[in-house]
Amino acid sequence: MKKAIVIGSGFSSLSASCYLAQAGFEVDLFEKNDTVGGRARQLIKDGFTFDIGPSWYWMPDIFEKFFGDFGKRTSDYYQLDKLNPAYKIFFTDDTITIGDCMDTICEEFERIEEGSSKHLRQFIEQAQENYDIAINKVVLRPGISPLELVTKETVLKVDQFFKTISQQVRKRFKNPKLISTLEFPVLFLGAKPSKTPSFYNFMNFADFGLGTWHPKGGMYEIIKAMKSLAESLGVTIHTDSPVSHILVSDGEVLGIRSKGKNHLADYVVSGADYHHSETLLDKKYRQYSEEYWNNKVYAPSSLLFYIGFDKKLENIEHHNLFFDTDFEKHAQEIYDVPQWPTDPLFYANFPSVTDSSMAPEGRETGFFLVPIAPGLEDTPELREQYYDLIMDRFEKLTQQSVKNSVIFKESFCVNDFVEQYNSFKGNAYGMANTLRQTAFLRPNLKSSKVKNLFFTGQLTVPGPGVPPSLISGKLVADLIIKEVKR
């Protein structure tokens, strides 16, 4: 029996572990923190439950496919509810509510801009075509060759790789609120809409076509499900086990060192931050220089607040976006001239609005996120300054007083991403999916310098986000299984 060691326990690592174990490998997984989940961990405090990381459940088909590969269904592990409304967007003088089906979304678009629903249906129809191509063709390829992007379907869409989401949206819609609403989903890909190929409008189908869901108990239920599945397949999970070195001899991986002890294996897969993973190797075995990493475009980092409120809040939904400031200016302050934003957009998540298990009765669980550039200075004073700024705006836009109802608040920012996840520059979502960082142009799943060493996760193929991370784990496992069969 071949032995594989997997570093990290986020979505991609757990995914890879499951596929390798199913294929007959003996699998040991090493996680530096005291619980599994990587960035998708959980905070439970005073009866309040918070997802520390991802909070959006999109592309339910990808989760079903993952569990289906093991003869399971998501319903074997957790209850999934479709949110209605999916989310609410606050502007200075109005709100847009995104419902749970195209008909209600079209009604809302018509309210804002007469005639826009016809354009929206055409736009989402094209987005659905792209989704089918992306999910069934493109993302299931391991990013080894440029030819992977060349299929009979993508050849017909080639112009969409050289035009941007921004151009495509603005050609059809004139109202700035609708433009912001349609450009928002690509932020999950970690790049500005004006730099993201229009082919990626498949994210709009994921949003409007497939809807926004919530696993009862929070996103951590997925991690618990994957942990349970992995262990049922025979994976041995070691928490509190940071890896200090990837062992290599004569260009071939031998295993890893954790807590001063060597653990040998035929294959090693690192789902930890890719840049950090390479620092675990002797320099001669690293594929990418510091200059390489410094020149890449990263998805944003985040300033996060986890807040327990002593009352139910008003005028909010489960997911809320606050777009009452200049979208483009904030994007420039993340990507073009990295700095703490002047007047940031932000996101607020209140899972207890739809899931009573996530807060004590009569209280509210609140998670606030401000996207920021990676690598910024992070101090308690700056965190406090931005807390005051967004809470003032939140109170004004939702027309209520909440600051005096805060039982506790905890924050998480650049320094925490670095310290807890070894995240390069404290990025939150990995490497952005720009045209020059798509598919084969991303860091490799397979090391070009060390035999039997592989990588998975959001800095490699296919990219940032939870569903792509599940796919990344499958891709890397498939590569290893093919190697063994040779």
Side-chain angles (χ1 to χ4, degrees), residues 307-311 313 387 391 395 400-408:
I307 303 174
F309 294 96
D310 69 5
K311 65 177 183 182
L313 304 190
Y387 170 76
M391 292 307 283
E395 287 188 330
Q400 63 189 314
S401 173
V402 300
K403 280 187 185 172
N404 295 334
S405 300
V406 172
I407 303 170
F408 65 83

Side-chain angles (χ1 to χ4, degrees), residues 403-422:
K403 280 187 185 172
N404 295 334
S405 300
V406 172
I407 303 170
F408 65 83
K409 79 168 192 288
E410 298 209 3
S411 64
F412 198 98
C413 197
V414 173
N415 293 348
D416 302 297
F417 281 104
V418 172
E419 187 266 321
Q420 297 197 27
Y421 309 130
N422 295 307

Side-chain angles (χ1 to χ4, degrees), residues 55-58 81-89 96-101 104-105 184 206-214 316-321 347-350 353-354:
S55 60
W56 291 81
Y57 194 109
W58 274 8
D81 298 309
K82 193 174 190 183
L83 296 180
N84 185 25
Y87 55 92
K88 187 174 185 176
I89 307 176
I96 289 182
T97 302
I98 300 301
D100 69 341
C101 68
T104 58
I105 297 168
F184 143 70
D207 179 0
F208 290 179
L210 298 175
T212 303
W213 300 73
H214 171 72
I316 54 162
E317 300 297 344
H318 185 120
H319 294 291
N320 307 267
L321 300 162
Y347 157 67
N349 170 243
F350 303 99
V353 166
T354 57

Side-chain angles (χ1 to χ4, degrees), residues 187-205:
L187 298 181
F188 285 107
L189 301 171
K192 289 168 67 172
S194 58
K195 296 277 195 225
T196 303
S198 64
F199 179 76
Y200 283 103
N201 72 359
F202 64 75
M203 292 296 291
N204 293 101
F205 175 71

Side-chain angles (χ1 to χ4, degrees), residues 137-144 147-151 445 461-462 475:
K137 305 280 184 187
V138 179
V139 301
L140 297 176
R141 301 181 177 203
I144 293 169
L147 295 176
E148 290 173 7
L149 290 176
V150 183
T151 68
L445 288 168
V461 181
L475 291 175

Side-chain angles (χ1 to χ4, degrees), residues 11-12 40 54-56 62-63 219 222 458 463-471:
F11 286 106
S12 58
S55 60
W56 291 81
I62 303 294
F63 296 90
M219 294 289 283
I222 313 161
Q458 53 193 8
V466 176
S469 292
L470 291 179
I471 293 167

